[in-house]
């Protein structure tokens, strides 16, 4: 059994041109009906910073909460955490970059300053009865600095776990992960509660997941239709498409709980909502089991 | 060391809208300068069947033959083999489909009839001092019949090797290969002189190559820029992009002899020649080692 977290509604749509509230609710509801067990639903960020998520409260209020699905929200700071908790979320995510340059570009402070801020945030969220996942961005490489030493990532993991973080995710922020980098990082980090988030920027998305599976990882992010192509970087492809991950896993006999046909309907909806052709091979060509009429 | 055979000039361009002779020669010459050791250059097919290759003789006559590069040609029948031999090729390829339905659709005869015809063709080519590779199409699944039993493919391999075939290639004709199917087929076939030809139709291209590498396969086809998108099947992506394969292999410390920067220049040329955006992530985003200026 592999646990897929569907990140299309948040990470996906946050990196597409803005879509109406209604469309977001429809996509969330469609995904909640696929059998997927985890969905990253929204982020509580400042609307000026990320207009795509300005309606997070309304989206979440209107979405149907399916039994058996764990929903999570991304928060950038204590204010966002308060909003997420007030909205009823019990699983929060925060991001820190392993690369200092990327952290400064993304969050306007050093990695060290971000880490220092996490201590109190984790405490506050725990006191409210919720959990915190720390997403370590640029874990497999930084577009500004290049390779990020696995020992540096391992040091961040140790520190945030010491601060009480409930789970760790490694973000392949700009698609620099490869099977080799996956092996090296997992060896450096050892056994921790871990989820991996890969992009398919350079074709290695599923090869990375295959490598991680062989090393015992059982939790992965994926985005319906490959939503999140980052329209500001033309041609760059983003998150691995959930259909492609599920298609490969099911063929391997690995269960995900997801109904691939329903997922493909959600992917078609995602394409309709964004109005662009999404980079998902299984959405385009159909599953390998779908035959051409003779 | 992994041996990549570049198939863009033949398999790639044969599945794109026709391009001028001059462009084909330029692409071949650019590829010959990348350090790649094998190139599938042209096919000698009937111009009415495949107008894209009508100028094969002229392309080949004008192309610069680089020392250290093995060039091959695809031939559909004895007449094509004669043309290829007359043009000076010493490595010929023939195709037969493991699936009877696909063979009938593609070649208008049964797999058995195709196999029967190979005996004399192999003999004729050997007498001329050249070698024959048998490409078994739909080895990982047929779009009409679905799964193709590995034992059926193994039977074809045994038979053509008995007929004197020098090498075997397995074609993932419509991108139905997955890591599981690669494992199952390789287990059924055992040790033979083998090259694998994958498509990236459903995202598994590099995952399949990774799986085959772990099982000891060292020869793969790939197409510069991912040329060969099959314009007749909109959205369907074709051959794995050579840049993506080389990029992953080099990162793993596996040598290919190929200069990735020169290969990327050839991929940019392929894009210019076809006039369409080719589906190669490494061409779009650059190698992971290419940093964003701060």
């Amino acid at each position: 059994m592999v646990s897929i977290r569907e990140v299309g509604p948040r990470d996906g749509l946050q990196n597409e041109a803005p879509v109406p509230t209604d469309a977001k609710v429809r996509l969330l509801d469609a995904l909640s009906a696929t059998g997927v067990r985890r969905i990253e639903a929204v982020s509580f960020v400042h609307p000026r910073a990320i207009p795509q998520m300005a309606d997070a409260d309304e989206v979440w209020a209107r979405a149907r909460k399916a039994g058996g699905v764990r929903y999570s929200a991304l928060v950038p700071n204590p204010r966002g955490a308060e909003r997420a908790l007030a909205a009823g979320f019990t699983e929060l995510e925060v991001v820190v970059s392993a690369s200092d340059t990327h952290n400064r570009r993304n969050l306007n402070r050093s990695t060290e300053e971000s880490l220092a801020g996490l201590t109190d945030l984790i405490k506050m969220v725990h006191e409210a009865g919720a959990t915190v996942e720390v997403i370590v961005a640029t874990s497999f490489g930084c577009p500004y600095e290049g390779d990020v030493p696995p020992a540096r990532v391992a040091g961040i993991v140790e520190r945030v776990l010491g601060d009480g973080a409930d789970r760790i995710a490694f973000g392949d922020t700009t698609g620099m992960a490869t099977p080799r980098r996956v092996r090296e990082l997992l060896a450096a980090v050892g056994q921790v509660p871990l989820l991996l988030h890969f992009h398919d920027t350079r074709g290695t998305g599923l090869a990375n997941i295959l490598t991680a599976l062989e090393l015992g990882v059982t939790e992965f992010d994926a985005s319906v239709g490959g939503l999140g192509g980052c329209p500001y970087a033309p041609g760059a492809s983003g998150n691995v498409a959930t259909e492609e991950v599920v298609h490969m896993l099911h063929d391997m006999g690995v269960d995900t709980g997801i109904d691939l046909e329903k997922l493909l309907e959600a992917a078609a909806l995602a394409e309709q909502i964004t109005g662009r052709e999404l980079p998902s091979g299984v959405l385009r060509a159909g599953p390998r089991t779908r035959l051409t009429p003779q």
Side-chain angles (χ1 to χ4, degrees), chain A residues 3-293:
Chain A
S3 174
I4 304 280
R5 178 169 62 187
E6 169 57 51
V7 301
R10 199 290 299 175
D11 189 5
L13 290 181
Q14 185 163 323
N15 290 290
E16 301 281 346
V19 304
T21 304
D22 219 51
K24 293 178 194 173
V25 174
R26 276 198 298 149
L27 182 62
L28 258 176
D29 288 352
L31 289 166
S32 290
T34 60
V36 72
R37 314 277 169 89
R38 298 159 81 175
I39 300 178
E40 190 190 47
V42 291
S43 62
F44 291 96
V45 289
H46 199 288
R48 269 206 308 277
I50 302 184
Q52 288 93 333
M53 291 288 134
D55 54 359
D57 276 302
E58 189 186 347
V59 168
W60 180 240
R62 288 175 51 191
R64 193 176 63 79
K65 284 78 177 173
V69 180
R70 294 162 52 190
Y71 297 93
S72 60
L74 182 79
V75 302
N77 51 36
R79 172 77 191 107
E82 282 166 13
R83 285 177 63 201
L85 293 168
F89 280 95
T90 56
E91 296 199 16
L92 274 54
E93 306 157 18
V94 295
V95 178
V96 60
S97 282
S99 140
D100 209 56
T101 310
H102 189 268
N103 206 74
R104 287 180 192 277
R105 289 285 183 124
N106 199 33
L107 303 167
N108 208 26
R109 76 198 77 150
S110 69
T111 299
E112 176 55 37
E113 287 167 321
S114 281
L115 288 171
L118 286 186
T119 316
D120 284 350
L121 188 143
I122 291 171
K123 197 160 165 247
M124 185 252 275
V125 174
H126 281 178
E127 282 170 0
T131 62
V132 178
E133 170 178 302
V134 176
I135 300 170
V136 186
T138 66
S139 283
F140 301 94
C142 166
Y144 306 109
E145 296 183 11
D147 291 338
V148 170
R152 178 169 166 87
V153 181
I156 292 173
V157 168
E158 194 177 4
R159 175 152 167 190
V160 299
L161 286 176
D163 278 343
D166 300 278
R167 300 177 305 282
I168 303 292
F170 289 149
D172 177 24
T173 312
T174 59
M176 292 174 69
T178 61
R180 170 187 166 184
R181 309 294 160 172
V182 172
R183 282 186 188 284
E184 289 179 354
L185 182 54
L186 292 180
V189 169
Q191 291 289 323
V192 297
L194 188 64
L195 177 148
L196 298 182
H197 175 113
F198 291 116
H199 284 207
D200 199 25
T201 316
R202 294 170 176 87
T204 55
L206 294 189
N208 294 336
I209 288 178
L210 190 67
T211 301
L213 275 174
E214 286 170 1
L215 295 170
V217 176
T218 59
E219 303 184 28
F220 298 95
D221 274 357
S223 180
V224 63
L227 267 182
C230 200
Y232 317 111
S237 106
N239 297 301
V240 289
T242 315
E243 312 83 73
E244 291 193 353
V245 177
V246 168
H247 181 259
M248 181 178 80
L249 290 174
H250 287 190
D251 181 70
M252 294 168 74
V254 177
D255 187 25
T256 63
I258 296 173
D259 180 322
L260 182 56
E261 289 300 327
K262 286 186 183 168
L263 180 62
L264 286 167
E265 288 169 23
L269 176 63
E271 201 160 62
Q272 184 195 321
I273 285 170
T274 56
R276 74 175 185 103
E277 187 175 286
L278 295 178
S280 161
V282 175
L283 176 58
R284 291 267 84 66
R288 65 188 295 287
T289 49
R290 189 182 294 168
L291 302 186
T292 303

